[in-house]
Amino acid sequence: MGSRTATNEKAAAWVQKNGKQASQGTFTDAAAFGEIVFNCTHGVDSLAALILPTPIILKTKFLLILPMLFDFSKGMPPSLSVCNTDSLGEQIQRAFPEVKVVQTH
C-alpha cells in the first residue's frame, strides 16, 4: 500500500488487518515493489500521484487505473472530471508513453 508518506495511518491499519504479506511505504516504494501498480486515486489527482514515483520505475509495470472520476469542486451534482473527447487513461498514457496503461471503470 503506497501513500505520500511511509507512515500513513490508514495504510498502517490496512497492513495490520491484512497480515504478514501486506506492507506499506511511499508511492515510490509501492511502485518499485509490485509487478502491477493500481492507481486508485481521485481522478483529478491521478497524474500528480503518478509523478511521485520516478517514471523509470513505472516503465516496466502494468498500470491499472481505477479512478473516481467525479468532480465535486463546483458542489452538487458532481460532473465528470474527464469525459467525451479524452479519458484519464489517455492522459496518463501521454504522460507516461512507455507504461502499459489499462483503464477500468
Side-chain angles (χ1 to χ4, degrees):
M1 169 77 68
S3 63
R4 288 184 191 95
T5 64
T7 58
N8 180 286
E9 290 179 19
K10 289 182 182 180
W14 180 85
V15 168
Q16 187 171 5
K17 180 180 176 182
N18 288 282
K20 291 182 186 180
Q21 297 298 322
S23 62
Q24 74 185 79
T26 64
F27 288 132
T28 300
D29 296 333
F33 176 79
E35 293 178 32
I36 300 173
V37 175
F38 289 83
N39 178 343
C40 305
T41 59
H42 190 269
V44 296
D45 299 323
S46 289
L47 280 170
L50 289 169
I51 290 171
L52 294 175
T54 58
I56 194 82
I57 290 173
L58 293 174
K59 184 177 176 179
T60 61
K61 312 292 178 171
F62 283 94
L63 175 63
L64 273 66
I65 307 166
L66 297 111
M68 201 280 272
L69 296 174
F70 291 115
D71 179 0
F72 293 93
S73 66
K74 295 178 180 142
M76 294 296 283
S79 62
L80 291 174
S81 59
V82 181
C83 64
N84 297 331
T85 60
D86 202 5
S87 72
L88 183 59
E90 291 172 306
Q91 291 176 3
I92 291 171
Q93 190 69 77
R94 284 192 299 270
F96 303 95
E98 295 177 323
V99 177
K100 299 167 194 84
V101 176
V102 179
Q103 180 167 340
T104 64
H105 291 284

